[in-house]
Amino acid sequence: VTRVSLRELGLRLLIAAFCWLTALYAFITSSPFAYQQFIRPRVFGWIGTFSAWHASMGWLWLALVVLYSWPDIRQTSRATASSVALVALAFVLVAWNALFPVLPALSDGAGTLYVGILGLTPLGMMTIVDHLRHATIFARRPHGSNDPASLDSRLFFAAVASSAYFTILYAAFASMAVSDAFEPDLIGIGLGLGFIWTLVDHLLIFLTAFLAFAFVGRIFQSNVGAQYVATAGIFVVAFWIAFIRLIGGAVGLHGFGANLAGVATSVTIVGVWAGWRVSRSIAPDSGADLLFGRRSVVDRAVLLGPALVAATAYVFLVAADRYDWDFVLLKIGVIAVWTVGFGAAYRMALDPPRRLGDATVATTCLIPLAIHLMVPISPEQQHTLDRYRVYNAAFRTADDVVRENPPSPSFDRYLKANTGFTDTTIVPIDIDFVTPIERATVEPKPLIFLFVIDSLRPDYLSPYNGRIQFTPNIEEFAAESVVLRNAFTRYGGTGLSMPAIWSGSALPHKQYVEPFDRMNALDKLLKVNGYRRLLTLDHITAELLGRDEGLEELDRGRPEMDLDFCKTLREIQAHLERSDTSSRPIFAHTRSLNLHMSKIRNGSVPPGESYPGLQAPYASRVHGMDTCFGSFVDRLKALGLYDRSLIVLTSDHGEMLGEDGRWGHSYYMTPEVIQIPLIIHVPSWMQGSNVDPEAVTFSTDITPTVYAALGYKPSASNDLMGSPLVGADSSVWMKRRQEPYVLAASYGAVYAVIRDNGRHLYIADAVNGREFEYERDAHGRWVDRKPTSVTRMVNQLQIRRYVDELGRLYGLNPEF
Amino acid sequence: MKRTVLLGALLAFFLGALLEPGFGRWHTSALDPLAPGPRRVEAAIASRRFADALPLAADLRRVYPNEPLVAYWLAEIYGGLGRAEDEASAWKSYRELAGQAESTP
């Protein structure tokens, strides 16, 4: 056996990285929400670059595959046939990809998953080649003693040492992070509690690994090859579960295809790693030796291992803080360093001076297990631990692996079955607020402006937050408008929030039910009344309305991620200045992306600006938009159009700006994500209408409000539809304050119930098997509460009624 | 052999504790609202078929006498049937059962 040089390791990693990236691209694309929200709008430029250059890069990759296989092709060996097959397979794939570029043509759906799996097949072949090359080591007698007790001892040491090391390491990272935050629960005792439970969780995980590896080591005691296969199999299962729970849950992959993708990915990760390890091993003592390496002499290089593991862990934490999606990168990083650290501890483990006793094994294993099963955690302690997981990545990951079972497993299954429909055909229904709809009699008809600022939070606007000083123009506009102070989006996430605004109703959980015309209550109104429709066609409006030739496109040719509120306003202004709006009224709509997370998270602030206590890049952009909006309103006034205009300033959802380590909106339904600004300037003839600005309102109320502004008497034919925010009598406002309302995430089976006029919030997170409850205090602050069996009961009942009503209206009754 | 058995037994315990719902805990006979019987009650209430829902809910009441959700359904059903006295009694029962449930850890 020859030692594989770093060059050969790099060669393998380059070959594998191309396959893994190809598969990852396909897996993500197969998810409807990820395709609609990331791939299509090209949220990250490099995604498009990778797709566009994939076919060309394939030739370079083929060259690497030939280089890797060349020794076996040049000189006949045991692996020659499989090496030739690998090159042939690679050539066919690359040639096909060059003739018919695959990645740019992919779209969401189960078929795309299988494209990703196909992309991993060369790595399976490479694993076979590696093992055939070095098959002789499986036939050799062990180099040292093949004493299973020695294997037990080394694995036991690795498990206990890894538990202690990672508990201390991540506790140190957590302490550093907590010191920069205001966390009254995490002082002294709180940190100690977190430390103890982190240790218990780590012991459970690493002792499970010890038991599994030691057990197969004894079962296959006389056969190192079988030990090796069984040990590798344990890793495959562990990584497969991690894939499904971490990546699958985060991007909405589930079902048979997702599991197959998980298995294929795990097999290739373990296969590439194992292939490299096998090529370096000389007569191993055990299967574990083959995967982790043989016992090392404790020298400087070995002692450097823990430091390198710590550095790697820190790099993952920093990277996750900047680029993560729902903690996926964070958790992958933790699992990676766990694996590497366990392997390093195993290599460092020496035979103990005396035999590891059964009592020691049993006691060490049963104590953390007993604590896990029998020690109760009070609500106060649970609150402290929930705060601690924000700062301790390993505890977050370990807790997700070992924590108690979901409170309502059948309810979670039910929600998942009714969420994210992909292959289910859903026939559109008519959503009408007025039947039949005829041309409105109001003259002149109002100009209608529907401005949706993606991810805009109300607490960054002065009409909602008295501390904000940088939105004077919106404040002035608000003083002349109706400010709904208790507004929520119906969907956390653009994907379903925007269609719901157009239809004025909650919708089936599918992106998208098409053709959308019958459900598009707002567009019906505009067409009947002869509006000129000026629209920014982002990927959602293009999908839902793009076939309509009567539309006039704003921001034509501008990439979606470059949609800028100021530029769009200037374009609308130009239309107004050259149009005769008295003969044909205008409707203008845009969804601006100035505040998209991809621009905010690592954004900067112009010199001279400062926003203490706020997310500065976000605040700076809000300030910039405020200036443009002020100019636009001034121009409307100068043109004499302001008083006859209906102007809606809102957002499709809020955003997490680092609270609890969370960024973006993902499938979160936290208060920061579901609260939206909703400011409506009504035409002069409607001013003075009966409005309860403190009553709970929703984004689905916008369209019926537009109906009311044109003089209609809109009425909802079911509980899922919105109702007008102007012109309603007191009893309607009273009902709003009393009724519970169900909201949903766009991108996952997470639902929320708003009660008591928005004072109570219950969240059922079926993706992670968790639930949350918040109460808003007199100062408007949300305080988290522990859900009780009764609050769970009444809120889940409300969610079931909402989901069942959707099922009844659209003929859905999925099995779960 | 003895060590192999010990390792196997401990491994089974660990996997059970980490993977199997309810492992190591006493199972309670709590109502699952998504079981077929309760689903029929909810469907009947949603479609305002209160007369159909009543015997189904009454059956559930016999099986789950301490379940506040069943009392909640019964109150809604009696309300839908216009039986005000029974409705008031069911709401009273619901409040009592919910109070008991809230105070149970």
Side-chain angles (χ1 to χ4, degrees), chain A residues 356 358 405 410 800-801, chain B residues 3 22 32 39 42 76 102:
Chain A
L356 180 67
D358 289 343
N405 305 302
S410 63
R800 286 198 301 277
R801 288 184 169 170
Chain B
R3 172 64 64 86
D32 179 1
R39 287 295 283 163
E42 287 199 342
E76 289 190 323
E102 291 276 16

Side-chain angles (χ1 to χ4, degrees), chain B residues 4 24-25 31 53 86 96 101:
Chain B
T4 307
R25 295 172 179 80
L31 172 76
D86 291 329
E96 288 170 1

Side-chain angles (χ1 to χ4, degrees), chain A residues 297-306 308:
Chain A
V297 175
V298 180
D299 58 12
R300 196 183 305 161
V302 172
L303 292 175
L304 204 58
L308 285 174

Side-chain angles (χ1 to χ4, degrees), chain A residues 553-812:
Chain A
E553 187 177 353
L554 298 170
D555 299 297
R556 184 182 289 274
R558 189 167 292 142
E560 183 167 341
M561 295 312 295
D562 293 341
L563 293 178
D564 173 65
F565 193 48
C566 296
K567 287 177 183 166
T568 311
L569 287 183
R570 283 198 289 273
E571 195 176 338
I572 295 171
Q573 199 171 301
H575 275 285
L576 292 172
E577 287 174 356
R578 62 174 181 258
S579 303
D580 176 11
T581 56
S582 59
S583 61
R584 194 171 176 208
I586 278 180
F587 166 83
H589 161 63
T590 189
R591 180 174 64 88
S592 306
L593 284 132
N594 301 60
L595 300 176
H596 194 274
M597 190 44 53
S598 60
K599 298 168 183 167
I600 296 298
R601 198 157 174 184
N602 300 310
S604 58
V605 174
E609 291 187 22
S610 167
Y611 303 93
L614 298 168
Q615 213 283 335
Y618 184 96
S620 173
R621 285 166 176 266
V622 173
H623 174 52
M625 286 190 289
D626 175 79
T627 304
C628 298
F629 186 67
S631 302
F632 177 76
V633 170
D634 288 345
R635 193 64 197 145
L636 276 183
K637 288 177 178 173
L639 291 170
L641 299 174
Y642 185 63
D643 287 342
R644 62 172 280 215
S645 293
L646 176 76
I647 306 171
V648 180
L649 183 65
T650 187
S651 62
D652 47 354
H653 53 78
E655 197 80 325
M656 297 295 286
L657 296 173
E659 291 87 357
D660 294 351
R662 293 177 176 181
W663 291 89
H665 44 282
S666 182
Y667 42 68
Y668 309 139
M669 292 297 283
T670 51
E672 293 87 350
V673 170
I674 61 176
Q675 288 183 286
I676 56 171
L678 183 52
I679 306 174
I680 303 178
H681 174 268
V682 295
S684 55
W685 63 85
M686 294 192 74
Q687 284 175 5
S689 295
N690 181 30
V691 176
D692 180 353
E694 302 296 336
V696 68
T697 53
F698 300 93
S699 50
T700 43
D701 297 326
I702 293 170
T703 283
T705 302
V706 178
Y707 271 77
L710 266 79
Y712 293 102
K713 300 286 183 197
S715 67
S717 56
N718 60 64
D719 290 342
L720 305 176
M721 295 168 67
S723 58
L725 299 173
V726 289
D729 62 37
S730 299
S731 65
V732 173
W733 288 108
M734 184 60 72
K735 189 179 172 208
R736 278 181 183 274
R737 283 175 171 260
Q738 293 171 341
E739 293 281 304
Y741 294 88
V742 176
L743 321 176
S746 287
Y747 311 135
V750 184
Y751 290 75
V753 180
I754 287 285
R755 285 184 180 275
D756 306 324
N757 199 35
R759 202 159 67 84
H760 289 104
L761 167 65
Y762 171 83
I763 302 167
D765 178 352
V767 174
N768 295 299
R770 298 173 73 93
E771 60 180 354
F772 307 91
E773 200 169 316
Y774 294 88
E775 181 175 0
R776 193 155 45 168
D777 66 17
H779 305 289
R781 287 185 300 247
W782 293 91
V783 181
D784 56 332
R785 300 270 183 243
K786 174 99 175 150
T788 68
S789 59
V790 174
T791 57
R792 178 182 304 128
M793 182 201 85
V794 295
N795 287 305
Q796 291 188 356
L797 173 67
Q798 200 62 39
I799 294 170
R800 286 198 301 277
R801 288 184 169 170
Y802 164 88
V803 172
D804 288 345
E805 176 70 357
L806 277 171
R808 188 185 65 77
L809 285 171
Y810 291 89
L812 300 168

Side-chain angles (χ1 to χ4, degrees), chain B residues 9-45:
Chain B
L10 287 170
L11 181 61
F13 267 117
F14 269 66
L15 294 179
L18 300 183
L19 300 177
E20 179 61 26
F23 181 91
R25 295 172 179 80
W26 293 108
H27 287 276
T28 57
S29 56
L31 172 76
D32 179 1
L34 290 153
R39 287 295 283 163
R40 281 195 289 276
V41 175
E42 287 199 342
I45 294 173

